Each structure stands twice: as structure tokens, then as C-alpha cells.
Amino acid sequence: GGGGGGGGGGGGGDGSPTTPAPVPSPTTASPVGGSTGGCADDPDWHGKFNKAHTCAYIGGAPTQRCQWENANGVSALDACEETCGECDGNETDPPIDPNPVTQAPIPSPVTASPVEGSTGGCVDDPNWHGKFNEAHTCAYIGGAP
């Protein structure tokens, strides 16, 4: 007789020892000496003031935007390594975009000659606001509460 012994508790299925899955290393460390192994943009990073300011957005004007930070103080330069030219040991110049995004020139304010019928004083345009946020009015730019 005898009853068989109970089976042994399940195991790993094929009889080989069970090993934990390897944990990938974080990609936030800068690559060393031209390594391209971990150089990539962080898909979760965005600027501290606008969630739409991702690494892809940073790529539209990397010279200015790679210095931006998120709410945790992590710069785009660190989080958007590929976009900001931090791969292959290049740590100073952002990539050159063959199709750069250029912004329209901002006209100089007319202050020398008063507009006909004006009181001669300088006046903010009550209809002006920032390109990306209507709350960015002249008062906002001027630091008014």
C-alpha cells in the first residue's frame, strides 16, 4: 500500500529551479563613453507647468527647452537624453533639427509715436494673452497678483 506522498507542492512546472525575473536598471543615469545602450527619452517626464511639455515637445526647441525642469527638479536635459543630445558622449550641443521650428518674430512695441486719438500714455492691450495660456495676460507677465 501506502498513500502516495502528496505531490510536493507545485514547483515551477518544468522541474528547473525558479529564479526571480531580472529587474531592469533605471535609464536615468547618463551613458558612459559613447554607450547608446540606455540612452532614451523618459516617456513619463513632463515640464512642471504643463503636462503637454513632454520630451517630444522639448524637441521642438531643444536649445531653450532642454533646461526646463519637472515638478521634482529633474531637467529635460537629464530626462530627455536622446532629444537633448546627451547620447554618444555629446553633453553640450542639442541635436540639429533639419526642420527647425521657428517662431514668428515678435513685433516691437510702439512706444515712440502715440496712436492717433490716444492719451499719449503707455497702455497694455486688454485683449493680449500668451500663446499657450489665456491666463498669461499683461498683468500676469508684469507680476501682478
Side-chain angles (χ1 to χ4, degrees), residues 12-104:
D14 64 0
S16 62
T18 304
T19 56
V23 177
S25 298
T27 57
T28 55
S30 296
V32 177
S35 166
T36 57
C39 188
D41 290 346
D42 180 348
D44 298 323
W45 187 92
H46 60 78
K48 79 171 95 174
F49 298 114
N50 191 331
K51 287 186 179 187
H53 292 170
T54 62
C55 290
Y57 180 83
I58 296 296
T63 303
Q64 292 85 19
R65 297 175 184 164
C66 284
Q67 293 136 30
W68 291 3
E69 293 182 345
N70 69 4
N72 297 323
V74 177
S75 72
L77 194 65
D78 291 332
C80 307
E81 292 176 320
E82 188 173 357
T83 295
C84 292
E86 290 297 292
C87 301
D88 297 325
N90 176 3
E91 297 188 11
T92 55
D93 298 323
I96 297 172
D97 187 349
N99 300 308
V101 176
T102 56
Q103 296 182 358

Side-chain angles (χ1 to χ4, degrees), residues 4 17 37 59 128-129 144:
W128 183 90
H129 59 77

Side-chain angles (χ1 to χ4, degrees), residues 109-114 122:
V110 178
T111 55
S113 58
C122 191

Side-chain angles (χ1 to χ4, degrees), residues 114-139:
V115 177
E116 186 176 327
S118 75
T119 59
C122 191
V123 179
D124 289 341
D125 180 348
N127 298 317
W128 183 90
H129 59 77
K131 183 175 182 180
F132 299 108
N133 189 335
E134 289 187 22
H136 293 170
T137 62
C138 293

